[in-house]
Amino acid sequence: MRIVLLLALIALSGCGDQRPGLDPAFQPYAERFIQDAAQNNKTIALESLSIQFMDTANLTQTGISFGNCTNGTVSILKSYWDATSEAGREAILYHELGHCALHRPHLGGFNEQLQIPLSVMVSDSSMVDFYWQSNRAYYIQELFTQN
C-alpha cells in the first residue's frame, strides 16, 4: 500500500514536471486526495483524469454548478476557485473527484447528530464549504468508506 502511494505521489510531482491534464493549481489537492484515500485503505489512480478550470458556470436543474465531472475531466469554475476559501477549494475538488475517481453519486441528507450535511457528495457542494474545515475528518471518512 505504501509503495502504491509513493509511486502515485511521484507520478503527480515528478521532478517538477506537471502531469498532462492537471492544472498546477490543483496538484497539492490531488496529492492530498490520494493520501487521504490511502489512509482510508483506498488506492486511487488519478493519472487517467484531467483536472482543469472552466470559465463559465454550468446551469443544471438544481441551479448553478461550480464544478463537474464529465468523461474523466474534472472542471472547476475559475471565478469560484479564486473567491472561495482554502477549505472551499478542497471541498469542491474532493466532491468532483468523488464523482470521477470514486464513482459516487450525489447524496442528500443531513447528519442530525453533528448538524451538518451528510456527505461532501451533497448536490450543493458549496453548502459543505461552510462545514468542511471543522468537520474535515468526518467528511474524509464518509467519502472514502461509503459506497
Side-chain angles (χ1 to χ4, degrees):
M1 177 65 74
R2 290 183 183 167
I3 291 173
V4 171
L5 175 61
L6 180 61
L7 292 174
L9 288 175
I10 290 169
L12 278 175
S13 60
C15 301
D17 294 332
Q18 293 298 317
R19 181 172 57 81
L22 176 65
D23 187 290
F26 299 117
Q27 183 157 347
Y29 302 92
E31 290 174 358
R32 213 172 307 142
F33 185 85
I34 290 170
Q35 290 170 347
D36 288 335
Q39 290 173 351
N40 285 278
N41 301 314
K42 290 271 190 194
T43 302
I44 302 293
L46 299 180
E47 291 79 17
S48 63
L49 298 179
S50 176
I51 307 173
Q52 63 191 20
F53 285 114
M54 62 182 176
D55 295 323
T56 308
N58 293 324
L59 294 176
T60 67
Q61 291 177 338
T62 58
I64 296 174
S65 175
F66 300 120
N68 64 51
C69 167
T70 306
N71 299 322
T73 298
V74 171
S75 300
I76 306 292
L77 183 64
K78 178 81 165 101
S79 60
Y80 177 81
W81 184 267
D82 290 343
T84 196
S85 66
E86 185 72 16
R89 290 176 177 179
E90 186 177 64
I92 194 166
L93 190 59
Y94 276 45
H95 173 94
E96 296 306 334
L97 288 171
H99 291 308
C100 275
L102 301 172
H103 310 290
R104 298 257 333 247
H106 283 137
L107 179 66
F110 200 72
N111 183 313
E112 296 294 335
Q113 182 180 359
L114 296 175
Q115 293 294 297
I116 60 174
L118 186 62
S119 172
V120 71
M121 298 310 298
V122 67
S123 60
D124 182 2
S125 63
S126 65
M127 189 171 92
V128 173
D129 296 357
F130 180 78
Y131 300 100
W132 181 263
Q133 190 167 353
S134 58
N135 297 283
R136 186 181 187 280
Y138 165 81
Y139 284 123
I140 296 296
Q141 182 182 17
E142 190 281 330
L143 181 65
F144 292 111
T145 60
Q146 300 300 311
N147 294 330

